[in-house]
Amino acid sequence: MNITVMGTGYVGLTVGTCLAELGNTVTCVDIDKKKIGGLNKGIIPIYEPGLAELVRRNVEKERLAFTTDSAEAIASGEVIFIAVGTPPGKDERADLRYVLAAAKEIGQKINGYKVIVTKSTVPVGTGDLVADTIRQHRKTAIDFDVVSNPEFLREGEAVNDFLNPDRIVVGTTSERARKAMEKLYAGIVRANKPILFTDVRTSEMIKYASNAMLATRISFMNEIAQLCEKVGADVKDIARGMGLDGRIGPRFLQAGAGYGGSCFPKDVKALMRTMQDNGMPGLILDAVEKVNEMQKHSIVPKVKQLVPHLKGKTIAVWGLAFKPKTDDMREAPSLIVIPALQKEGASVRAYDPEAEKVATSLFSDVAYFKTPYGALKDADCLVVLTEWNEFREIDKEKMKSLLKEPNIVDGRNVYAMSQMREMGFNYIGVGRGNGNRN
Ligand code: NAD
């Protein structure tokens, strides 16, 4: 099929490239000339495992192209994905200006029946706004359908998640659009990983409800972790004990330094606003958000338990990205922790396998190192903020010899507490209140 993807960010680039890999002819459009110029030279604007190779292969096979010319791309697409950003607006509602600008362009340039697919995460009712906008701007009464098809990929696992999704959700009541979407996803759907067809509004809500549920699990466990620290219990064992219950399951039960990224924080806030717009207080999501903020702010007090006076001290920070396998720092705990350490008078030595470039544009007064060991040298304490695998397999004796004091605040519970303490580290994790367990 001929596919057009409007917006070539994390989602648009991944979706477009994977659909090309499945044999479609895909044109990815973006208004960012630099990004498109770079992609046309083979420069991938984000770090995402496996994506660069897939882009190269599909460009070579002439199934994938990048352009800023939306007119031609819209005219040629049978299915047009809108995958532009929906950042939080001033009032924390999703800012729909990019989605509606894309819809306007589609309206102006539509030249025959097309399926318009909203891939961006959009509040319930946006499908109707997109359809109204296209109708307003089309020159003749050309027929089209607006379909909701939210994306569930995770940064760091984007390619695999798109090609092996747990489910594909499609919101449409049009039989014609349903057939087009079935054809599009035929190469991905498996018997146990179905396409769920529903109406547009329900589909829009499934995306927000899913993200909000995952964020709720994290905040719930972080609040349990806070209690563990007070009463002498271990949140890691609690997560294991809970996760073995088939009704609960083991995933998204890890306490840590709080969730971040481009999705959970903004989607939780946007869903809460939608509730409030509909006369509901949004009690659960309000608490989810508050606990998450508390958690991000709980790291520096832990550092101060080990290094009470931070003025003039040096703190090593491992992990700047909001999670492993990405260089994305949007809403990352490091954005709260580093300025708070600096405010107390500490200097920061940082290491992240991928996010250094992004971090440099955010923090000029941090010293960056090419290895985790480099960042440790003569530091008074190490703070772990992202659970990159290379931190798990690290040489702990070397860690100890490099640190000025063997102090660790493990904001992701990466290490076995008993082992670290036996080795002579002053170790504080998250929710590890009993002091002597794994
Ligand atoms: P992004 O900011 O990385 O990319 C958005 C792109 O759209 C930018 O390159 C921008 O220049 C471009 N753009 C804006 N207006 C345009 C227009 N009129 N025409 C063409 N291009 C235009 O955003 P993202 O992370 O890819 O997210 C896109 C959407 O997908 C959001 O709604 C997000 O919530 C959702 N989503 C994101 C993820 C994720 O992990 N990043 C996962 C699932 C869903």
Side-chain angles (χ1 to χ4, degrees), residues 110 112-116 130-132 134-135 138 142-146:
I110 194 166
Y113 174 79
K114 292 178 195 300
V115 178
I116 318 298
V130 168
D132 287 347
I134 296 173
R135 252 179 242 117
R138 69 186 166 175
I142 291 169
D143 196 17
F144 65 91
D145 282 306
V146 173

Side-chain angles (χ1 to χ4, degrees), residues 7 9-11 30 35 84 86 105 120-121 151 155 263 266:
Y10 272 92
V11 170
D30 207 288
K35 191 180 269 191
V84 299
T86 46
E105 279 183 76
S120 304
T121 302
E151 184 49 57
E155 290 179 18
C263 291
K266 83 170 171 65

Side-chain angles (χ1 to χ4, degrees), residues 13-22 44 48-64 66 158-160 162-163:
L13 182 58
T14 307
V15 169
T17 305
C18 291
L19 288 173
E21 179 69 11
L22 291 170
I44 309 298
E48 189 59 50
L51 187 59
E53 165 59 17
L54 223 53
V55 170
R56 193 188 54 72
R57 187 161 72 222
N58 285 285
V59 169
E60 260 171 36
K61 300 251 183 215
E62 295 184 6
R63 289 190 300 243
L64 180 61
F66 302 102
V159 170
N160 190 42
F162 187 81
L163 292 172

Side-chain angles (χ1 to χ4, degrees), residues 4-14 26-40 45-46 65-71 73-74 80-85 98 102 105 109 120:
T4 297
V5 181
M6 300 188 67
T8 311
Y10 272 92
V11 170
L13 182 58
T14 307
V26 180
T27 307
C28 288
V29 188
D30 207 288
I31 48 172
D32 184 337
K33 289 196 176 93
K34 206 170 144 214
K35 191 180 269 191
I36 293 298
L39 280 161
N40 279 324
I46 48 167
F66 302 102
T67 183
T68 52
D69 179 0
S70 62
I74 291 167
I80 301 179
F81 282 89
I82 299 177
V84 299
Y98 304 105
E105 279 183 76
K109 287 153 196 167
S120 304

